[in-house]
Amino acid sequence: MNDGALCLRGVTAGYRSRPVLRALDLPALTPGQVAAVLGPNGAGKTTLLRAIAGLLPATGSCRLGERDLFRLGHAARAACVAYMPQTLPAGVALTVLEAVMTALRAAPVGPDPDEGVRGRALDTLERLGLDALAMTPLGHLSGGQRQLASLAQALVRRPPLLLLDEPTSALDLMHQVVVMQQVRAFAADSGAVVLMVLHDLGLAMRWSDRIVLLSRGEVAAVGPPVEAITADRLAAVYGVRGRVEPCSQGFAQVIADGVVPSAAALSARSTQ
């Protein structure tokens, strides 16, 4: 296995007595790759990231290179993994710059002496277009701005494994593109593995190297976007009649034409 690759074997995780992931296997994701985790609500996407981050009990094996993350202590795992959650804590009395500097100071491996904590934090904020808000308290930010600040806290640490749970959900179109560009640049420059949960299939098809498609706690497909997302899988996993077609620049895009009748009937019954 490539040193630094992420590989999961037989991972089971969930909440109390309710397993969400069941003996899940994930082929190696190599350093420098961005992988999007897709699937309908309840498929196990957030559970997967939280299990890898050590926030949920899990069994099986989760190897990052030669290290099994499930067998590492908290400090050792924190040296390998940075996790950006879906929801952010409220009431933090720090400015954006202070929050990013605090995240960097807490990292097991800090910046080079010539670089400095403040310099690296400011550089990360500038890359995300947040430099003008550096001295703004976190509590004064919009939801999208807070999301960008949270991403800055994860990126500034430059971990070998970056876990992002819906990093674009509160962002406008321009900032979605900024985030995806910066995530790809981070993976390429640092050689990190990036695993991110997305609901937007268009973003996933355009910006990821691999797609991990989950359905009911199991892997439905893993591979390059055009191989993992097909019309048959849109129907089987999402209950949608759809097509995967190239755009004018050759990138694959998903076009949804309607709902599979059996899926629509099941959804109607579940809401009654």
Side-chain angles (χ1 to χ4, degrees), residues 61-87:
S61 171
C62 175
R63 303 194 71 85
L64 184 66
E66 298 304 318
R67 299 159 291 189
D68 190 341
L69 299 181
F70 288 171
R71 287 165 175 76
L72 296 181
H74 176 75
R77 192 182 306 208
C80 304
V81 182
Y83 170 65
M84 174 185 165
Q86 194 176 123
T87 56

Short mmCIF file of all heavy atoms in Angstrom, two decimals, residues 61-87:
data_model
loop_
_atom_site.label_atom_id
_atom_site.label_comp_id
_atom_site.label_asym_id
_atom_site.label_seq_id
_atom_site.Cartn_x
_atom_site.Cartn_y
_atom_site.Cartn_z
N SER A 61 -10.93 -2.11 10.65
CA SER A 61 -9.61 -1.52 10.44
C SER A 61 -9.73 -0.28 9.57
O SER A 61 -10.42 -0.29 8.55
CB SER A 61 -8.68 -2.54 9.76
OG SER A 61 -7.47 -1.94 9.36
N CYS A 62 -9.04 0.79 9.98
CA CYS A 62 -8.98 2.03 9.21
C CYS A 62 -7.52 2.45 9.15
O CYS A 62 -7.00 3.07 10.09
CB CYS A 62 -9.84 3.11 9.86
SG CYS A 62 -9.73 4.73 9.05
N ARG A 63 -6.85 2.09 8.07
CA ARG A 63 -5.42 2.30 7.96
C ARG A 63 -5.11 3.55 7.13
O ARG A 63 -5.66 3.72 6.04
CB ARG A 63 -4.73 1.09 7.35
CG ARG A 63 -4.97 -0.21 8.10
CD ARG A 63 -4.01 -1.30 7.69
NE ARG A 63 -2.67 -1.03 8.18
CZ ARG A 63 -2.23 -1.36 9.39
NH1 ARG A 63 -3.03 -1.95 10.25
NH2 ARG A 63 -1.00 -1.09 9.75
N LEU A 64 -4.24 4.37 7.67
CA LEU A 64 -3.66 5.50 6.95
C LEU A 64 -2.18 5.18 6.83
O LEU A 64 -1.43 5.35 7.78
CB LEU A 64 -3.90 6.81 7.70
CG LEU A 64 -3.41 8.07 6.99
CD1 LEU A 64 -4.23 8.32 5.71
CD2 LEU A 64 -3.51 9.29 7.92
N GLY A 65 -1.77 4.70 5.67
CA GLY A 65 -0.43 4.16 5.52
C GLY A 65 -0.29 2.93 6.40
O GLY A 65 -1.10 2.00 6.33
N GLU A 66 0.70 2.92 7.27
CA GLU A 66 0.92 1.78 8.15
C GLU A 66 0.21 1.91 9.49
O GLU A 66 0.28 1.01 10.32
CB GLU A 66 2.44 1.61 8.39
CG GLU A 66 3.24 1.34 7.13
CD GLU A 66 2.72 0.12 6.39
OE1 GLU A 66 2.41 -0.91 7.05
OE2 GLU A 66 2.62 0.18 5.15
N ARG A 67 -0.47 3.02 9.72
CA ARG A 67 -1.11 3.27 11.02
C ARG A 67 -2.58 2.90 10.96
O ARG A 67 -3.29 3.33 10.06
CB ARG A 67 -0.96 4.74 11.40
CG ARG A 67 0.46 5.22 11.57
CD ARG A 67 0.57 6.72 11.43
NE ARG A 67 0.31 7.17 10.06
CZ ARG A 67 0.51 8.40 9.64
NH1 ARG A 67 0.95 9.32 10.46
NH2 ARG A 67 0.24 8.73 8.38
N ASP A 68 -3.05 2.13 11.93
CA ASP A 68 -4.48 1.85 12.07
C ASP A 68 -5.07 2.91 12.99
O ASP A 68 -4.81 2.91 14.20
CB ASP A 68 -4.71 0.46 12.64
CG ASP A 68 -6.18 0.04 12.58
OD1 ASP A 68 -7.06 0.93 12.45
OD2 ASP A 68 -6.46 -1.17 12.65
N LEU A 69 -5.84 3.81 12.43
CA LEU A 69 -6.37 4.93 13.20
C LEU A 69 -7.24 4.47 14.36
O LEU A 69 -7.29 5.14 15.40
CB LEU A 69 -7.17 5.87 12.29
CG LEU A 69 -6.40 6.53 11.14
CD1 LEU A 69 -7.33 7.45 10.35
CD2 LEU A 69 -5.19 7.30 11.65
N PHE A 70 -7.92 3.35 14.20
CA PHE A 70 -8.80 2.86 15.26
C PHE A 70 -8.03 2.39 16.49
O PHE A 70 -8.62 2.22 17.56
CB PHE A 70 -9.68 1.72 14.75
CG PHE A 70 -10.76 2.14 13.79
CD1 PHE A 70 -11.50 1.19 13.11
CD2 PHE A 70 -11.03 3.47 13.57
CE1 PHE A 70 -12.50 1.57 12.22
CE2 PHE A 70 -12.02 3.87 12.68
CZ PHE A 70 -12.76 2.91 12.01
N ARG A 71 -6.73 2.20 16.34
CA ARG A 71 -5.92 1.72 17.45
C ARG A 71 -4.98 2.80 18.00
O ARG A 71 -4.13 2.51 18.83
CB ARG A 71 -5.13 0.48 17.02
CG ARG A 71 -6.03 -0.74 16.90
CD ARG A 71 -5.38 -1.89 16.14
NE ARG A 71 -6.24 -3.07 16.16
CZ ARG A 71 -7.33 -3.22 15.41
NH1 ARG A 71 -7.71 -2.24 14.60
NH2 ARG A 71 -8.05 -4.33 15.49
N LEU A 72 -5.16 4.02 17.54
CA LEU A 72 -4.35 5.12 18.03
C LEU A 72 -5.07 5.86 19.15
O LEU A 72 -6.29 5.93 19.17
CB LEU A 72 -4.05 6.12 16.90
CG LEU A 72 -3.21 5.64 15.73
CD1 LEU A 72 -3.00 6.77 14.73
CD2 LEU A 72 -1.87 5.09 16.20
N GLY A 73 -4.30 6.42 20.06
CA GLY A 73 -4.87 7.29 21.08
C GLY A 73 -5.31 8.61 20.48
O GLY A 73 -5.04 8.90 19.31
N HIS A 74 -5.96 9.41 21.31
CA HIS A 74 -6.53 10.67 20.80
C HIS A 74 -5.45 11.58 20.22
O HIS A 74 -5.61 12.13 19.13
CB HIS A 74 -7.27 11.39 21.93
CG HIS A 74 -7.79 12.74 21.53
ND1 HIS A 74 -8.91 12.91 20.73
CD2 HIS A 74 -7.33 13.99 21.80
CE1 HIS A 74 -9.11 14.19 20.53
NE2 HIS A 74 -8.17 14.88 21.17
N ALA A 75 -4.36 11.76 20.93
CA ALA A 75 -3.31 12.67 20.48
C ALA A 75 -2.67 12.17 19.19
O ALA A 75 -2.40 12.96 18.27
CB ALA A 75 -2.26 12.84 21.57
N ALA A 76 -2.41 10.87 19.12
CA ALA A 76 -1.78 10.32 17.92
C ALA A 76 -2.72 10.43 16.72
O ALA A 76 -2.26 10.72 15.60
CB ALA A 76 -1.39 8.87 18.16
N ARG A 77 -4.01 10.23 16.93
CA ARG A 77 -4.94 10.34 15.81
C ARG A 77 -5.08 11.80 15.38
O ARG A 77 -5.18 12.10 14.19
CB ARG A 77 -6.31 9.78 16.17
CG ARG A 77 -7.19 9.63 14.92
CD ARG A 77 -8.60 9.14 15.20
NE ARG A 77 -8.66 7.90 15.95
CZ ARG A 77 -9.66 7.03 15.85
NH1 ARG A 77 -10.64 7.25 15.01
NH2 ARG A 77 -9.67 5.95 16.59
N ALA A 78 -5.07 12.73 16.35
CA ALA A 78 -5.16 14.15 16.02
C ALA A 78 -3.98 14.62 15.19
O ALA A 78 -4.09 15.60 14.43
CB ALA A 78 -5.26 14.97 17.30
N ALA A 79 -2.84 13.93 15.30
CA ALA A 79 -1.68 14.28 14.49
C ALA A 79 -1.87 13.88 13.03
O ALA A 79 -1.19 14.41 12.15
CB ALA A 79 -0.43 13.61 15.05
N CYS A 80 -2.81 12.96 12.78
CA CYS A 80 -3.02 12.44 11.42
C CYS A 80 -4.26 13.01 10.74
O CYS A 80 -4.32 13.05 9.51
CB CYS A 80 -3.18 10.91 11.47
SG CYS A 80 -1.85 10.01 12.24
N VAL A 81 -5.25 13.42 11.53
CA VAL A 81 -6.58 13.69 10.99
C VAL A 81 -7.07 15.07 11.43
O VAL A 81 -6.94 15.45 12.60
CB VAL A 81 -7.60 12.63 11.48
CG1 VAL A 81 -8.97 12.89 10.87
CG2 VAL A 81 -7.12 11.23 11.13
N ALA A 82 -7.65 15.82 10.49
CA ALA A 82 -8.39 17.04 10.82
C ALA A 82 -9.82 16.85 10.30
O ALA A 82 -10.02 16.40 9.17
CB ALA A 82 -7.76 18.26 10.18
N TYR A 83 -10.79 17.20 11.15
CA TYR A 83 -12.19 16.96 10.83
C TYR A 83 -12.97 18.27 10.91
O TYR A 83 -12.91 18.98 11.92
CB TYR A 83 -12.77 15.94 11.82
CG TYR A 83 -14.27 15.78 11.77
CD1 TYR A 83 -14.89 15.27 10.64
CD2 TYR A 83 -15.06 16.12 12.86
CE1 TYR A 83 -16.28 15.10 10.60
CE2 TYR A 83 -16.44 15.95 12.83
CZ TYR A 83 -17.04 15.44 11.70
OH TYR A 83 -18.40 15.28 11.67
N MET A 84 -13.67 18.60 9.83
CA MET A 84 -14.56 19.76 9.82
C MET A 84 -15.99 19.25 9.92
O MET A 84 -16.50 18.60 9.01
CB MET A 84 -14.39 20.56 8.53
CG MET A 84 -15.39 21.70 8.39
SD MET A 84 -15.26 22.53 6.78
CE MET A 84 -16.81 23.44 6.76
N PRO A 85 -16.69 19.54 11.03
CA PRO A 85 -18.04 19.00 11.21
C PRO A 85 -19.07 19.73 10.37
O PRO A 85 -18.82 20.81 9.83
CB PRO A 85 -18.30 19.19 12.71
CG PRO A 85 -17.50 20.40 13.05
CD PRO A 85 -16.26 20.33 12.19
N GLN A 86 -20.25 19.14 10.33
CA GLN A 86 -21.37 19.72 9.58
C GLN A 86 -21.92 20.95 10.27
O GLN A 86 -22.30 21.93 9.63
CB GLN A 86 -22.44 18.65 9.45
CG GLN A 86 -23.53 18.93 8.44
CD GLN A 86 -24.48 17.75 8.32
OE1 GLN A 86 -25.68 17.90 8.53
NE2 GLN A 86 -23.97 16.58 8.02
N THR A 87 -21.97 20.93 11.59
CA THR A 87 -22.45 22.06 12.37
C THR A 87 -21.33 22.58 13.24
O THR A 87 -20.49 21.81 13.73
CB THR A 87 -23.65 21.67 13.25
OG1 THR A 87 -23.27 20.57 14.10
CG2 THR A 87 -24.83 21.25 12.41
#
